[in-house]
Amino acid sequence: MISYAAVAAIALFALGLVLTPGPNMIYLVSRSVTQGRRAGLISLCGVAAGFLVYVAAATAGLTTIFTLVPPLYTAIKLAGACYLLWLAWQTLRPGGTTAFEPRDLPADPPRRLFAMGLVTNLLNPKIAVLYVSLLPQFADPGRGHVAVQILLLGAVQVVIAVTVNALIVLGAGSIASFLGRRPGWRRAQRYLMGSVLAALAVHIGLRPATA
């Protein structure tokens, strides 16, 4: 029903998206480093639930609301861009920290870990842009029911995102330890993450509302 080209394109985009520092990565790494892998994996379950919410919304055609009401899409897009700029500033400002730097966070119970993962993903502008403006572009009405195509393409993105994020959670402690012993690498990683977040914010902010 869906072409191999569409699957490959979504897979490559999903891989690049999950490897780009953003709210999901920052939260999952921070929680894994401070509270352990189990907490990170529970948080990842919440993130995965957020993906499923987006898939359900896209499949149900709710994203067409943003096409019919462009100002609403613009407002959400700009709010997401501002959020990413704030994250970039928190990373790049003097005394800023990297996602892989341990923080003194309180140990949250599983229910809160799951909820925070869910909310973090639902408010993630990268994911919102993916499902609102990109995924529908790969659905071809000539290949069958559009909703089913979007469901399958969304499933591809979810599998890739959850798999890569799980690897990040499992390796967060080792990465944090590596960076902790090498201040130069830690600074470079912090500047790289902050720059990527800022660039992503600008890209999202300048993205045409009709995209």
Side-chain angles (χ1 to χ4, degrees), residues 36-64:
R37 291 177 177 176
R38 180 176 180 272
L41 291 174
I42 293 174
S43 300
L44 177 58
C45 290
V47 171
F51 284 130
L52 295 180
V53 171
Y54 273 115
V55 171
T59 302
L62 297 182
T63 53
T64 57

Side-chain angles (χ1 to χ4, degrees), residues 24 27-28 39-53 110-122:
N24 286 347
Y27 175 70
L28 291 174
L41 291 174
I42 293 174
S43 300
L44 177 58
C45 290
V47 171
F51 284 130
L52 295 180
V53 171
R111 180 179 298 179
R112 179 171 175 79
L113 292 172
F114 181 91
M116 287 300 297
L118 172 63
V119 172
T120 298
N121 197 20
L122 290 178

